[in-house]
Amino acid sequence: MAAVTTREFVLDDYDGAIALWNDVEGVEICEGDSREEITAYLKRNPGLSRVAEADGKIVGVALCGHDGRRGWIYHLAVASAYRRRKVGQRLLDDCARGLREAGLKRAIILVAGDNPAGHQFWLRNGWENIDGAIPMTREL
């Protein structure tokens, strides 16, 4: 199997990222994941989102950014053939390093309730459940 490298997510990666997210169970694509929304997100958070590649193909993706107070990591996903090779951990480490360099001290993620494998990944990597927190949303 080819060596895996990580680098900044750029807009040219969009189609490959969407394809990977659609293939990975537990990742929900929504209106905020349109090309226009991702373009704006990358511009607001330069250098923080990451992709993992092998043989020129995207095998992992993580969207990463912040609001100036807390970091956020979205849609961290790894192709099934590349799991258990620490690709997700490398992407996570890259994101955490970028957030620390931006001056952030804490990051937050949302894990779908029907994604036990994803939940276990985050727990193994030192993340904690937020007891008493209830995720909420509203259309604007």
Side-chain angles (χ1 to χ4, degrees):
M1 197 168 278
V4 176
T5 58
T6 63
R7 62 170 175 77
E8 179 181 354
F9 182 124
V10 296
L11 192 55
D12 286 344
D13 297 320
Y14 178 80
D15 292 332
I18 288 290
L20 178 62
W21 290 329
N22 279 320
D23 283 345
V24 173
E25 188 175 342
V27 177
E28 182 181 333
I29 303 301
C30 63
E31 73 283 347
D33 297 318
S34 68
R35 183 179 296 274
E36 295 76 22
E37 294 280 342
I38 296 296
T39 298
Y41 188 80
L42 295 174
K43 285 181 182 176
R44 278 191 306 275
N45 297 283
L48 295 176
S49 295
R50 309 294 296 174
V51 297
E53 286 184 313
D55 282 334
K57 182 178 179 194
I58 293 174
V59 298
V61 181
L63 286 179
C64 180
H66 66 87
D67 59 14
R69 184 170 178 267
R70 294 285 184 255
W72 288 88
I73 300 172
Y74 301 97
H75 294 353
L76 191 148
V78 176
S80 59
Y82 287 85
R83 292 188 188 146
R84 303 283 183 217
R85 295 183 59 196
K86 304 224 179 261
V87 174
Q89 185 176 357
R90 287 175 58 193
L91 289 168
L92 177 55
D93 290 347
D94 287 353
C95 290
R97 184 173 33 263
L99 291 169
R100 277 192 308 274
E101 289 171 0
L104 284 289
K105 298 190 183 317
R106 182 171 297 276
I108 299 172
I109 57 162
L110 297 173
V111 180
D114 63 352
N115 186 1
H119 186 231
Q120 288 303 310
F121 166 83
W122 291 102
L123 290 172
R124 279 194 314 272
N125 281 282
W127 292 69
E128 302 171 354
N129 294 327
I130 303 174
D131 293 330
I134 300 170
M136 300 174 73
T137 188
R138 181 183 133 186
E139 296 297 320
L140 302 175

